[in-house]
Amino acid sequence: MASRGLLGSRVLAAAGLALALGSARAEDSPYEKANRELDEELDRLQNPKDCGSARILLVVWDAPGDGLGSFIHTASSSLAEGYYTNRTVMFAPHPLSLKTKYDCPKDQQWRCFFLPLSDTCRFEDLTTDDIVEAYSHGFLDNSRITYANQGRGNSAFYTPPIKYRQLPEARRWWAAKILNRTARLRPELARDLQDIRDSLGWEGKRPIIGAHIRHGDSIVLQKPNFPFQTYADAIQKIRQDHPNAKTVWISSDDKAVGQMKEDYLPSERGWEVFVPDRIRVPTCKSKEECPHLTKMEFPFTFKDDVRYGTEALVDMWLLSEVDYQIGTISSHFSVIPGLLRFLKGHTSLPNYLDLPGASKKKYQIGMLRSANLGRGVQADARIPLRWRMLATRFDPLSKNIQDAYEKGFRLPANTGIPVILYDVFDKSWPKWNLPVAETPGTPTPNACGVQSGERMSVKDLVNKASELFSEPQASAGCLYRALSRLDRRDKRLAKRGKGASKESVKMRGLADRTLLALRANMGTSLSRLMPLENRLQMMACIPKGVSISAVNIVGVANRAADMFDAGDRDWARACFGLALLMDGNKEQKTQIRENFIALGGNLDDVKPSPSSPEASQSRPAKADSGSEDDESAPVKPNGGASAKHRRKRGRRRKDRKGTGGGDGR
């Protein structure tokens, strides 16, 4: 039988966890065949025979300080997008703010909690050329390696494929299955959870009510903040309907949560309430009372990361084991166990206290981050536009699809499962699943929303790209179409012995700069928040697997110069920029800085990660970009000659050997 539980059938059997969907259902359950087929599809997609030729969807983590629920959401929505685009999902190097006691690669910390998404195709299997391809053309749907797009993935997560839509609760089942395949617990953690369940006498205390009380940062985020009394009333209502439900498991980040046990659900009334010892934050009743309370400023962030990570995981997974659940739909932490419960046979719908408000656009929706408007006065003003923003992020190029999406989207107050109209979704997703272009960088057929036979001027394409900047795939499509048109125009002029016009040069420069900005925006976590070693590896400025201690500033600069020689100015500029963050003498730094500026780099963009030693140092003053003239090629540090007078390869190898730094090869 196909694996159907949190960890797959083999591990489940070893851990003794009866988590499989249908464990209490008849053999002819309509889900049996669907479970088997979808498991096989996802396993096949995530484990290609040849990673070197597989279509890849690369997930770049843009907020390492996020909570566990956010990371699971990002990964799950990417897996749903990968299914529809026929791509293997892969995680770029990433640190997490949370960990467990179990060893995991420091640049793949998802594995501190969960099994890798793939056994045959991971980031460490990519070559330098693969990484260059992702950096250069990762925004194009016809590239072999593309970036994940949450505007698509969020909607795909709640929209089952056509073949499964006849199932009784197709949307709920599909989202739960994608989530379940994504977050497969490490066997060690599965055993730990089983030990905790056994120590609590979990099975003997059923039926169990679980409550997630989200206070903490909900004060400063666009989330509701219900008082303890509201949760207590909801718990007591369940007991009225189910008199045997007297056991309550409570997960909360509020230090005052003990009141639930002492004041609202006392033992003398027959309640048995579990409020486990946890790291928690002070109670706040208003933004004014705690104006600086954000998740990045919690006392556990980057400090007690192992304890907090373990506690968060235990609470979330035990909530997925309860018979009746209470929480808030605006929180990933509530929605994740709410979905997983369905795969464990607990089919009663969660009681999301904020569902009435969320269905009227008042709050964001868990596992649907595209409905998040941020926070503050401006976010509050955008509340009426919430469904429109969902639609725009889903398909930024088609007003017709946006209109139909917005009109048809709903969040039923009786289920809490978002509804995206099938016919609207089906008009859009085939445009994501394109054949890989033979020539990298070839514009997609529908780039910038231009249909066959339509024409847009190069200037209009570039301007449209700027308007769409917050939607990277759409923006880049416009830019690549503009550059393709400029290339064809320049070739025609060259055949007539003429050079490019000033206007063409201007438009090409603007398009190139916008593309560079898009890449920098996608790589925010690489350039600002990730450790320097991770950033150097992700950008292929040093060989994968080589510690930064084995490669010095000279090796990185030499590799950057090689990239320039190969014709990739953007890649060279990125590596020169990272080299500036490394230890080196004044002469080396000066030469590298000149190269970086000559290639169009902005010194204000070269910033260390917040936790790195260099973060406390003053940054160089902002400098104007140097010439873009190809003759101003990179200078090799430590006495290397200018690229205006290019050395032969033999001389370059000799110079490298002499510096003692090398590039790690």
Side-chain angles (χ1 to χ4, degrees):
M1 187 174 184
S3 63
R4 294 170 296 166
L6 280 174
L7 311 173
S9 57
R10 294 187 298 277
V11 179
L12 282 175
L17 301 179
L19 308 182
L21 171 62
S23 56
R25 299 172 187 254
E27 283 299 317
D28 60 349
S29 163
Y31 296 98
E32 292 293 330
K33 181 180 179 182
N35 279 331
R36 184 169 57 253
E37 290 184 0
L38 182 56
D39 286 340
E40 291 172 353
E41 285 184 283
L42 292 173
D43 285 341
R44 185 166 53 250
L45 186 61
Q46 282 302 118
N47 293 289
K49 294 181 179 179
D50 179 14
C51 187
S53 61
R55 294 158 54 92
I56 303 297
L57 190 69
L58 186 63
V59 182
V60 177
W61 305 90
D62 60 356
D66 272 357
L68 185 61
S70 291
F71 284 111
I72 295 173
H73 161 259
T74 297
S76 299
S77 67
S78 298
L79 186 64
E81 182 187 357
Y83 180 95
Y84 275 102
T85 56
N86 192 32
R87 290 181 179 274
T88 300
V89 178
M90 177 184 290
F91 297 155
H94 59 275
L96 301 184
S97 59
L98 312 173
K99 301 179 181 66
T100 66
K101 65 182 180 181
Y102 297 109
D103 291 337
C104 61
K106 62 182 178 180
D107 60 345
Q108 291 286 335
Q109 291 181 350
W110 172 265
R111 301 179 200 170
C112 296
F113 297 88
F114 308 108
L115 296 175
L117 287 188
S118 174
D119 295 325
T120 66
C121 197
R122 307 176 189 176
F123 184 81
E124 49 263 43
D125 297 314
L126 296 184
T127 66
T128 298
D129 287 343
D130 291 333
I131 300 173
V132 171
E133 168 64 14
Y135 178 82
S136 301
H137 307 119
F139 298 110
L140 294 180
D141 291 319
N142 59 5
S143 175
R144 187 177 78 83
I145 304 174
T146 65
Y147 293 125
N149 181 332
Q150 284 204 24
R152 298 171 174 179
N154 281 206
S155 295
F157 179 78
Y158 281 113
T159 309
I162 295 173
K163 62 195 289 187
Y164 299 121
R165 291 175 187 171
Q166 80 286 353
L167 293 172
E169 295 186 74
R171 296 180 192 272
R172 188 182 181 191
W173 170 84
W174 164 255
K177 287 292 290 184
I178 290 294
L179 173 59
N180 192 58
R181 175 57 175 80
T182 304
R184 299 175 298 165
L185 291 175
R186 291 177 57 143
E188 306 95 320
L189 283 171
R191 288 191 290 270
D192 291 346
L193 279 169
Q194 180 62 45
D195 290 342
I196 292 172
R197 286 161 44 96
D198 290 345
S199 68
L200 295 172
W202 192 268
E203 292 303 320
K205 299 183 184 299
R206 292 191 182 278
I208 300 173
I209 303 169
H212 172 225
I213 302 177
R214 176 71 177 266
H215 285 170
D217 63 347
S218 64
I219 290 294
V220 293
L221 298 176
Q222 198 181 58
K223 298 176 184 289
N225 194 276
F226 296 101
F228 290 132
Q229 182 67 62
T230 302
Y231 286 94
D233 290 345
I235 292 171
Q236 290 165 353
K237 177 63 168 63
I238 291 175
R239 185 172 176 181
Q240 290 175 9
D241 297 336
H242 307 278
N244 292 330
K246 303 176 182 179
T247 304
V248 183
W249 172 269
I250 296 179
S251 169
S252 179
D253 53 9
D254 191 334
K255 277 188 175 181
V257 71
Q259 294 177 20
M260 288 291 292
K261 183 175 182 179
E262 299 164 4
D263 301 339
Y264 298 101
L265 306 171
S267 58
E268 53 265 28
R269 295 181 189 173
W271 292 104
E272 184 174 12
V273 181
F274 291 98
V275 182
D277 182 29
R278 295 289 184 258
I279 299 175
R280 294 191 170 94
V281 296
T283 300
C284 292
K285 296 181 180 179
S286 68
K287 295 181 182 179
E288 292 71 28
E289 182 181 342
C290 300
H292 303 299
L293 183 61
T294 69
K295 69 182 75 175
M296 290 300 292
E297 293 166 331
F298 278 359
F300 49 73
T301 303
F302 298 114
K303 293 182 180 179
D304 295 317
D305 51 2
V306 171
R307 179 183 170 188
Y308 181 71
T310 302
E311 290 177 353
L313 182 78
V314 169
D315 280 7
M316 190 181 292
W317 253 251
L318 286 182
L319 282 172
S320 74
E321 294 280 342
V322 301
D323 300 276
Y324 308 103
Q325 183 192 354
I326 300 167
T328 49
I329 198 169
S330 55
S331 172
H332 298 317
F333 203 99
S334 286
V335 174
I336 288 169
L339 289 169
L340 289 177
R341 288 178 57 252
F342 182 68
L343 294 190
K344 303 178 183 183
H346 309 305
T347 57
S348 64
L349 289 163
N351 178 5
Y352 294 128
L353 301 179
D354 57 342
L355 182 53
S359 65
K360 297 176 182 178
K361 308 182 185 180
K362 188 175 181 180
Y363 308 120
Q364 70 177 61
I365 304 168
M367 302 301 283
L368 194 65
R369 186 179 286 161
S370 294
N372 185 4
L373 306 181
R375 60 191 179 198
V377 177
Q378 292 183 342
D380 293 341
R382 292 197 297 267
I383 286 176
L385 303 175
R386 191 184 295 277
W387 297 168
R388 185 67 186 187
M389 295 182 71
L390 261 174
T392 300
R393 290 164 178 167
F394 172 68
D395 194 328
L397 295 175
S398 173
K399 187 176 183 301
N400 289 337
I401 288 180
Q402 292 170 19
D403 291 344
Y405 187 110
E406 180 186 18
K407 183 177 180 180
F409 181 87
R410 56 194 174 89
L411 182 65
N414 62 327
T415 67
I417 303 296
V419 173
I420 296 104
L421 293 182
Y422 288 145
D423 60 337
V424 175
F425 185 85
D426 292 343
K427 289 177 182 177
S428 190
W429 75 260
K431 295 184 292 187
W432 316 339
N433 188 13
L434 300 178
V436 175
E438 294 184 6
T439 304
T442 301
T444 57
N446 61 328
C448 213
V450 178
Q451 303 300 316
S452 177
E454 293 184 58
R455 294 285 293 179
M456 285 180 69
S457 69
V458 170
K459 184 176 181 179
D460 288 342
L461 288 168
V462 174
N463 288 338
K464 183 70 171 178
S466 297
E467 294 174 12
L468 294 167
F469 187 80
S470 61
E471 307 297 335
Q473 271 87 352
S475 181
C478 299
L479 294 171
Y480 279 107
R481 185 175 286 280
L483 290 170
S484 176
R485 192 167 296 170
L486 287 171
D487 287 342
R488 293 197 299 270
R489 181 186 300 174
D490 290 349
K491 287 179 181 179
R492 289 195 300 269
L493 290 172
K495 287 181 179 180
R496 299 201 297 265
K498 297 181 179 180
S501 67
K502 290 183 178 181
E503 180 66 17
S504 291
V505 172
K506 178 182 177 181
M507 286 294 103
R508 185 181 294 278
L510 183 56
D512 284 337
R513 287 194 294 275
T514 307
L515 264 178
L516 183 63
L518 279 173
R519 291 165 179 160
N521 193 48
M522 174 60 73
T524 296
S525 59
L526 301 176
S527 60
R528 303 289 170 87
L529 299 175
M530 294 181 69
L532 181 58
E533 180 178 357
N534 292 162
R535 289 143 66 190
L536 287 167
Q537 290 176 340
M538 175 61 186
M539 301 297 284
C541 300
I542 61 174
K544 294 194 304 297
V546 176
S547 170
I548 192 172
S549 62
V551 181
N552 64 17
I553 189 172
V554 176
V556 174
N558 284 342
R559 181 170 285 257
D562 283 346
M563 292 172 180
F564 178 89
D565 290 345
D568 201 322
R569 300 169 63 95
D570 288 346
W571 201 259
R573 174 170 44 215
C575 290
F576 276 126
L578 289 178
L580 288 174
L581 299 177
M582 302 180 69
D583 293 333
N585 61 41
K586 182 177 180 180
E587 180 183 1
Q588 292 168 339
K589 292 265 188 172
T590 298
Q591 290 182 355
I592 292 170
R593 188 177 296 111
E594 290 174 353
N595 291 336
F596 180 67
I597 295 173
L599 291 174
N602 187 336
L603 291 176
D604 198 44
D605 292 333
V606 181
K607 299 179 182 179
S609 60
S611 59
S612 65
E614 65 268 20
S616 60
Q617 301 173 2
S618 59
R619 290 183 285 106
K622 185 174 181 178
D624 294 330
S625 295
S627 169
E628 290 279 349
D629 188 345
D630 276 337
E631 291 188 355
S632 59
V635 178
K636 296 284 184 177
N638 275 15
S642 167
K644 290 182 180 179
H645 311 286
R646 296 187 180 271
R647 294 186 294 239
K648 295 182 179 179
R649 283 290 170 181
R651 171 75 182 279
R652 179 171 292 152
R653 286 194 294 269
K654 182 178 179 181
D655 287 346
R656 282 192 182 134
K657 184 176 180 181
T659 63
D663 61 1
R665 284 186 290 209

